[in-house]
Amino acid sequence: MRVDHPLKAVTLAHVRYQRGDQLGHFLAWVSLVPVFISLGGFVSHFYFRRELQGMFFGLGLLISHFINELIKKSVQQARPEACALLEMCDSHVTTKWAALFLPWSSAVLTMYSRVYLGYHTVAQVFAGAALGTFLVGVWFWLVNSKLFCYFPLIEESALGRFFYVKDTSHISDVLKFEYDNAWAARKGMAARKVMASKNS
């Protein structure tokens, strides 16, 4: 015997706005910035850079998301009438504040977009911003005062060496360091080619 279960949608990028509302259309895309940062930015950063600070930053965002979901499930404050789902803290705002704490204009624009589009109340986006600010502060303190000493162990572990995981937080100017090393490697290769051509 078949039991019918109610359907649930995956709403990764389902953002609604009023047809013809140009500002709403723009803000719908703005509200998706945290999703793009989380999926595109961190996946590519992990794959190409393999930096421990970035990995722990991404781990902090995942923990922030789970804490946010736990609060949503326990509080179950209704969204504005424009959105019938039950939720409390805005995870878009929490993620934005946790991921982009310094670029205030982007975070504020995300907050505004969530209220303008009717997905959250002003109180809900401020709750998300406060939660994001608190979590980023705690996570920053935890990583940089308690977990930081384990970075060399992770870097030197078999998995760390296999996946080329690195910690460059001790280098004051990583961009210059990488440029200087690439330049020196290119010069060394050119010198070896000259020596090889002289010997043959």
Side-chain angles (χ1 to χ4, degrees), residues 11-23:
T11 59
L12 178 64
H14 181 73
V15 180
R16 299 177 300 197
Y17 62 95
Q18 293 290 327
R19 186 182 306 266
D21 182 1
Q22 295 299 318
L23 178 61

Side-chain angles (χ1 to χ4, degrees), residues 137-182:
V138 169
W139 188 248
F140 182 83
W141 172 82
L142 183 66
V143 169
N144 290 296
S145 66
K146 300 295 182 190
L147 301 176
F148 185 79
C149 62
Y150 298 106
F151 282 10
L153 294 172
I154 297 169
E155 194 176 27
E156 291 295 324
S157 70
L159 282 175
R161 294 178 70 73
F162 180 78
F163 289 110
Y164 304 116
V165 172
K166 63 183 177 266
D167 173 29
T168 58
S169 59
H170 58 283
I171 301 170
S172 61
D173 189 348
V174 176
L175 189 60
K176 181 173 179 356
F177 176 80
E178 289 179 349
Y179 174 80
D180 290 345
N181 281 318

Side-chain angles (χ1 to χ4, degrees), residues 10 16 21 23 29-30 38 43 53 89 125 129 132 140 180 184:
V10 174
R16 299 177 300 197
D21 182 1
L23 178 61
W29 283 102
V30 166
S38 298
V43 169
Q53 284 283 350
C89 298
V125 295
F140 182 83
D180 290 345

